[in-house]
């Protein structure tokens, strides 16, 4: 099993293909298997690095408080050990936050940036809602446990009747995080705010949203106003995990942008 020590944890990673590196960063509660429909087509054109964020999948966790900045530091440690000086980054949801933070902390290490279904700034109303959401999450997890919570999450992500295979895949392969690590990742995610720093991102940026992501599409307008070289695309008839619901469209948009 390919594992490298990054800061204070063991990080699981996979490398596929050759050429310009592309790093795939998954969302909260998931793992690198989230990208199963991207790795093969992308690796035909470039070197694809997919890894498990601290506390997720096969990567170990730690007792310290988590932050998106810490996750970005872990990624830098991983790329340093893989001798990757510069790479494209593609992050979904929480992975998009990590990609933003990495681009701000290490601009010289980022070629192009793809942000999918993510945000930059919650604002006062958003923070009040998130405070309620975090409290509700803890109460729900206390009473029903992580397995049942993951089932609810799978139904929320894949809402169509014919998506049973995707719901099953998510539960069996992706949603493998513990309750402790999940709650710490939630705290890290909703403490993030990059709006006032986005003007410093100089990498050409593509922001992808699914048609069903109303709030994320509002966030995209904020990001595109701040990032100097930014374009946006909408993936039709999809929700948050657009890379799994509409892989052909997602892959085409990413490869077109990178080429």
């Amino acid at each position: 099993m390919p594992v490298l020590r990054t800061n204070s944890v063991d990080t699981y990673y996979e490398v596929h293909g050759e050429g310009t590196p592309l790093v795939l960063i998954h969302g909260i509660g998931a793992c690198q298997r989230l990208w199963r429909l991207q790795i093969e087509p992308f690796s035909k054109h470039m070197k694809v690095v997919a890894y498990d964020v601290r506390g997720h999948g096969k990567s170990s966790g730690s007792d310290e408080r988590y932050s998106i900045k810490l996750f970005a530091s872990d990624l830098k440690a991983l790329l340093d050990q893989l001798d990757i000086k510069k790479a494209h980054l593609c992050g979904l949801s929480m992975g998009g936050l990590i990609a933003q933070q990495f681009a701000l902390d290490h601009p010289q290490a980022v070629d192009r940036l793809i942000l999918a279904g993510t945000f930059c700034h919650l604002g006062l109303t958003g923070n009040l809602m998130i405070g309620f959401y975090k409290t509700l999450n803890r109460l729900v997890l206390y009473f029903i446990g992580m397995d049942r919570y993951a089932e609810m999450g799978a139904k929320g992500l894949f809402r169509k009747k014919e998506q049973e295979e995707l719901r099953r895949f998510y539960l069996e392969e992706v949603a493998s995080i513990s309750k402790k690590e999940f709650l710490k990742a939630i705290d890290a995610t909703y403490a993030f705010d990059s709006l006032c720093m986005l003007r410093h991102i100089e990498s050409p940026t593509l922001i992808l949203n699914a048609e069903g992501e109303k709030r994320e599409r509002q966030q995209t307008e904020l990001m595109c106003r701040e990032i100097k070289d930014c374009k946006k695309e909408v993936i039709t008839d999809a929700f948050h995990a657009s890379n799994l619901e509409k892989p052909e469209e997602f892959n085409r948009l990413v490869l077109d942008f990178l080429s």
Side-chain angles (χ1 to χ4, degrees):
M1 186 174 76
V3 172
L4 287 172
R5 193 73 176 170
T6 58
N7 295 328
S8 61
V9 297
D10 293 326
T11 295
Y12 176 84
Y13 71 97
E14 294 184 4
V15 179
H16 303 265
E18 297 179 352
T20 302
L22 167 64
V23 181
L24 303 176
I25 315 171
H26 63 75
I28 190 169
C31 69
Q32 55 85 25
R33 289 282 290 157
L34 180 77
W35 302 108
R36 69 165 185 167
L37 301 180
Q38 282 68 55
I39 288 175
E40 182 178 352
F42 288 173
S43 63
K44 293 177 181 177
H45 305 275
M46 61 199 79
K47 177 189 287 186
V48 176
V49 179
Y51 76 105
D52 292 341
V53 174
R54 175 188 294 239
H56 292 68
K58 298 176 183 177
S59 292
S60 63
S62 63
D63 292 331
E64 62 199 290
R65 182 177 180 180
Y66 291 171
S67 68
I68 298 300
K69 195 172 185 69
L70 175 63
F71 292 155
S73 176
D74 290 342
L75 175 55
K76 183 62 167 65
L78 175 64
L79 296 186
D80 285 347
Q81 292 197 61
L82 293 175
D83 197 28
I84 294 176
K85 304 267 191 302
K86 193 169 188 175
H88 304 307
L89 301 185
C90 177
L92 173 71
S93 194
M94 182 187 75
L97 308 185
I98 298 170
Q100 291 176 60
Q101 188 66 59
F102 188 96
L104 291 168
D105 292 344
H106 310 284
Q108 75 288 345
V110 180
D111 194 341
R112 293 190 171 218
L113 195 61
I114 302 109
L115 308 174
T118 193
F119 70 90
C120 66
H121 175 71
L122 294 171
L124 178 59
T125 302
N127 277 308
L128 289 173
M129 289 179 61
I130 291 307
F132 171 76
Y133 173 70
K134 286 163 63 176
T135 301
L136 181 63
N137 263 283
R138 282 169 165 78
L139 286 172
V140 170
L141 281 169
Y142 178 80
F143 286 107
I144 70 172
M146 200 64 204
D147 289 344
R148 178 64 181 137
Y149 186 90
E151 289 180 18
M152 293 167 58
K155 291 178 181 177
L157 284 173
F158 307 109
R159 303 176 176 188
K160 300 174 185 176
K161 184 178 180 181
E162 63 270 21
Q163 292 180 326
E164 178 59 31
E165 183 181 349
L166 283 175
R167 288 189 287 272
R168 188 167 59 251
F169 164 73
Y170 181 83
L171 290 171
E172 292 175 356
E173 299 286 346
V174 177
S176 56
I177 191 171
S178 71
K179 179 170 70 173
K180 173 186 173 183
E181 295 295 325
F182 181 71
L183 291 173
K184 289 165 69 177
I186 282 182
D187 289 343
T189 295
Y190 292 117
F192 181 80
D193 192 318
S194 64
L195 182 60
C196 65
M197 298 297 292
L198 289 177
R199 66 184 184 276
H200 298 299
I201 292 180
E202 298 187 355
S203 300
T205 301
L206 170 66
I207 303 181
L208 297 174
N209 289 124
E211 187 177 21
E213 295 181 303
K214 182 178 178 180
R215 285 176 294 182
E216 286 84 353
R217 286 162 63 190
Q218 292 172 343
Q219 290 287 307
T220 293
E221 298 303 320
L222 286 177
M223 289 188 276
C224 278
R225 285 205 297 265
E226 297 295 321
I227 298 174
K228 299 171 186 175
D229 186 353
C230 180
K231 65 177 294 188
K232 57 188 177 181
E233 298 282 359
V234 175
I235 297 175
T236 57
D237 192 30
F239 190 53
H240 192 53
S242 58
N243 68 307
L244 291 176
E245 287 191 83
K246 288 293 192 73
E248 294 85 2
E249 189 173 351
F250 185 97
N251 297 350
R252 176 182 58 80
L253 290 169
V254 170
L255 289 172
D256 285 352
F257 176 68
L258 295 181
S259 63

